[in-house]
Amino acid sequence: MSRLLWIACAFILGTRCGPAISAEPKEVGVVLMHGWGLQQSPPPGRMYPHRKNDALANALRQEGFHVIQEEMPWGPNRLIDASIDAAMTEIDGQVEKLRALGAKKMVIAGHSMGTPMALAYAARRDGVAGVIGLAPGHHPELQPAMYPDFFPKQVAKAKAAIAAGKGDEQTRFTAAQCCVFYQDFWTTPRIYLSYFDPDGPGTMAGNAAKVKAGVPVLFVFGKRDVIFKLLEDVKQSYADYVPGRLPANPLHRRVILDADHGQVPGQSIRDVLQWLKDLP
């Protein structure tokens, strides 16, 4: 069965119609990024940001894929300590590490907030073989409507600080943690806006629309993810919102699992493996 027929069958019937394997695992490197790293009840000492992704990462390694997991600027021990531009440079370094291991095709993957950052990388860099978005989170373009009581004030505070010449001073901000509770953190107004400005470079919709033509994207959603209801409340369809903004590509795929936000990476293993093996 041809690859296009297999993808079409998966889209139309929601089933797997047989493998169309073309990518050798040892040739594929995966940068696997965590989500927004705050925890409601953080343990003492240094926190581990990759717990929700580890089962997937281990399964990929067992199949022969090269996987790298490093803490990103939005992790629990960093809390937005570097801008999106700096994060892209960090991913460059991870890609080079994968090349040194023998990887020739680079896939950028992310859970939750890692998804728009993976999309941002595919929008800014050449040579990305594919993107994987797991339970996509972080929609600053929608947060003024989602959180009208606090989010616009946070953005206004950051912009006012920059206008007053204080854009690089440490400032306390508040953000929603996986949509259900709020958390304070410290960063500079300039760095904060690089992720949270509704019109800035950190938006989910903006980064999806700018992904370079020809880059296939796999999205995996959990139907029990609280983000479904959040987007519904602002008149958006979570499962369609981001995929509908990508440049057309017959190798894009969308999967919806019976999972909540945090369970998606662990339950996506079979779909991710098949999609990776089908990369052109």
Side-chain angles (χ1 to χ4, degrees):
M1 178 179 291
S2 73
R3 183 181 302 109
L4 292 183
L5 285 176
W6 181 84
I7 292 293
C9 184
F11 265 117
I12 295 169
L13 301 179
T15 60
R16 297 172 181 83
C17 309
I21 295 174
S22 58
E24 288 292 331
K26 65 182 180 181
E27 296 181 350
V28 179
V30 180
V31 174
L32 182 54
M33 295 184 287
H34 55 78
W36 175 250
L38 296 168
Q39 299 180 23
Q40 193 165 12
S41 300
R46 191 168 180 84
M47 289 178 280
Y48 182 65
H50 304 292
R51 179 173 56 84
K52 292 181 174 64
N53 285 342
D54 271 351
L56 173 60
N58 291 335
L60 294 177
R61 292 185 180 107
Q62 289 173 6
E63 290 289 320
F65 295 97
H66 302 288
V67 182
I68 192 165
Q69 296 171 276
E70 295 185 0
E71 183 164 5
M72 299 304 294
W74 52 92
N77 304 294
R78 301 184 61 180
L79 297 183
I80 315 297
D81 66 355
S83 69
I84 283 183
D85 285 342
M88 299 297 106
T89 300
E90 290 185 26
I91 298 172
D92 286 338
Q94 295 170 37
V95 166
E96 288 307 310
K97 291 177 182 179
L98 289 169
R99 291 193 196 283
L101 294 173
K104 299 176 182 178
K105 300 176 182 180
M106 301 300 163
V107 173
I108 314 300
H111 173 236
S112 194
M113 188 171 175
T115 295
M117 300 304 108
L119 293 169
Y121 192 81
R124 297 176 180 215
R125 301 292 195 265
D126 294 322
V128 175
V131 171
I132 300 172
L134 305 167
H138 188 68
H139 302 74
E141 69 274 25
L142 299 178
Q143 289 196 16
M146 287 178 173
Y147 311 110
D149 293 337
F150 87 89
F151 184 78
K153 295 177 183 178
Q154 300 296 302
V155 173
K157 178 169 70 173
K159 291 183 176 180
I162 291 173
K166 299 179 179 180
D168 297 314
E169 295 184 7
Q170 288 290 312
T171 305
R172 188 173 70 180
F173 292 97
T174 303
Q177 161 61 9
C178 195
C179 323
V180 293
F181 70 92
Y182 303 135
Q183 178 71 49
D184 291 341
F185 61 99
W186 289 80
T187 188
T188 71
R190 207 176 308 279
I191 291 174
Y192 171 84
L193 285 178
S194 79
Y195 294 95
F196 289 93
D197 187 341
D199 300 310
T203 68
M204 186 80 75
N207 283 314
K210 294 175 183 176
V211 168
K212 293 183 181 295
V215 177
V217 180
L218 168 66
F219 281 114
V220 185
F221 299 90
K223 66 181 181 182
R224 291 185 281 109
D225 194 327
V226 295
I227 301 179
F228 268 100
K229 181 62 167 60
L230 276 173
L231 265 69
E232 183 180 88
D233 289 344
V234 294
K235 313 300 182 185
Q236 298 290 341
S237 168
Y238 182 38
D240 298 324
Y241 180 76
V242 193
R245 284 161 172 76
L246 293 170
N249 188 321
L251 295 182
H252 291 330
R253 191 177 178 206
R254 181 185 63 184
V255 176
I256 301 178
L257 302 174
D258 184 14
D260 64 26
H261 188 76
Q263 293 171 338
V264 165
Q267 294 192 23
S268 71
I269 291 171
R270 183 179 176 187
D271 294 285
V272 169
L273 283 172
Q274 181 59 70
W275 187 83
L276 285 173
K277 291 176 180 178
D278 195 57
L279 283 175

